């Protein structure tokens, strides 16, 4: 079942990437993929927040599914936000995308746990299989990435700052979330 879910996830990512490319957002999708790869490899290398099952497809140290699900999910959140509120200002669009990501937590987390695909650290506070820290992590990573990309879009020649921001944002988010989790005892 795990391998089926891995391949299904990659199929959804491919469809989303095609949609992004067709709508002129290929660069955004590539950025989200890169950020997910950096973040999940940092989580795997530092052994923070959660562990991964031995899955068949990996990008570096992280399972492919964990690395690409951020791009798929955040892109879907952004498309949803724009669909329900066309012509919305950037800050409101990002806020709606963050709310969408919070709504994904009760679906993703129990599903991944049931399939034994992700394992949160021992002692992680949960309610109904939902880690409390995920309710903060999903929307904050979305906020960081979309705000960073929005800034880049408004300043097209700033590739170096986007690359540096992606590295710092992805690594800083994972590390910061672990520190917050420790601080709160979650």
């Amino acid at each position: 079942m795990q391998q089926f879910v891995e391949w299904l996830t990659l199929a959804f990512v491919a469809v989303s990437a095609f949609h992004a490319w067709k709508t002129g957002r290929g660069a955004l999708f590539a950025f989200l993929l890169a950020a997910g790869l950096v973040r999940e490899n940092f989580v795997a290398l530092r052994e923070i927040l959660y562990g991964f099952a031995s899955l068949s497809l990996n990008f570096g140290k992280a399972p492919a599914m964990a690395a690409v699900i951020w791009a798929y999910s955040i892109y879907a959140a952004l498309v949803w936000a724009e669909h329900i509120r066309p012509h919305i200002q950037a800050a409101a669009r990002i806020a709606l995308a963050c709310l969408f990501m919070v709504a994904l937590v009760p679906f993703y987390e129990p599903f991944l746990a049931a399939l034994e695909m992700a394992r949160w650290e021992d002692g992680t506070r949960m309610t109904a299989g939902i880690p409390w820290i995920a309710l903060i992590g999903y929307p904050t990573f979305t906020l960081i990435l979309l705000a960073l990309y929005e800034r880049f879009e408004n300043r097209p020649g700033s590739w170096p700052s986007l690359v540096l921001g992606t590295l710092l944002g992805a690594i800083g988010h994972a590390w910061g979330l672990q520190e917050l989790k420790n601080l709160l005892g979650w």
Side-chain angles (χ1 to χ4, degrees):
M1 182 62 146
Q2 289 178 344
Q3 195 170 28
F4 171 75
V5 172
E6 285 182 273
W7 284 104
L8 183 63
T9 301
L10 291 177
F12 286 147
V13 169
V15 169
S16 297
F18 181 73
H19 182 273
W21 174 71
K22 290 291 282 181
T23 58
R25 292 188 173 166
L28 169 63
F29 199 83
F31 162 73
L32 295 172
L33 275 174
L37 287 167
V38 169
R39 184 188 187 281
E40 295 307 317
N41 274 287
F42 183 75
V43 167
L45 287 168
R46 298 286 300 160
E47 297 179 359
I48 59 173
L49 294 173
Y50 43 81
F52 303 107
S54 294
L55 301 175
S56 58
L57 304 170
N58 292 294
F59 292 140
K61 285 285 201 180
M65 185 175 137
V68 301
I69 198 73
W70 286 109
Y72 164 72
S73 301
I74 294 172
Y75 184 74
L78 191 60
V79 170
W80 172 81
E82 292 171 344
H83 178 74
I84 65 163
R85 296 294 255 171
H87 314 295
I88 194 170
Q89 289 185 349
R93 182 177 60 245
I94 292 170
L96 281 175
C98 290
L99 287 175
F100 183 94
M101 292 299 287
V102 170
L104 284 181
V105 174
F107 170 72
Y108 278 170
E109 293 302 329
F111 178 74
L112 292 171
L115 293 176
E116 298 179 359
M117 294 181 85
R119 300 177 191 107
W120 283 87
E121 292 176 320
D122 287 339
T124 297
R125 286 260 178 104
M126 295 193 193
T127 300
I130 300 166
W132 295 3
I133 198 71
L135 294 167
I136 295 171
Y138 282 43
T140 54
F141 195 44
T142 302
L143 174 64
I144 290 166
L145 296 184
L146 293 181
L148 183 62
Y149 193 81
E150 183 74 28
R151 184 166 191 259
F152 167 74
E153 249 185 348
N154 293 328
R155 300 171 70 196
S158 59
W159 277 102
S161 64
L162 180 66
V163 171
L164 181 60
T166 302
L167 290 171
L168 293 176
I171 291 170
H173 181 264
W175 177 79
L177 206 58
Q178 179 66 52
E179 291 303 311
L180 179 64
K181 184 176 175 287
N182 293 343
L183 178 70
L184 297 174
W186 288 4

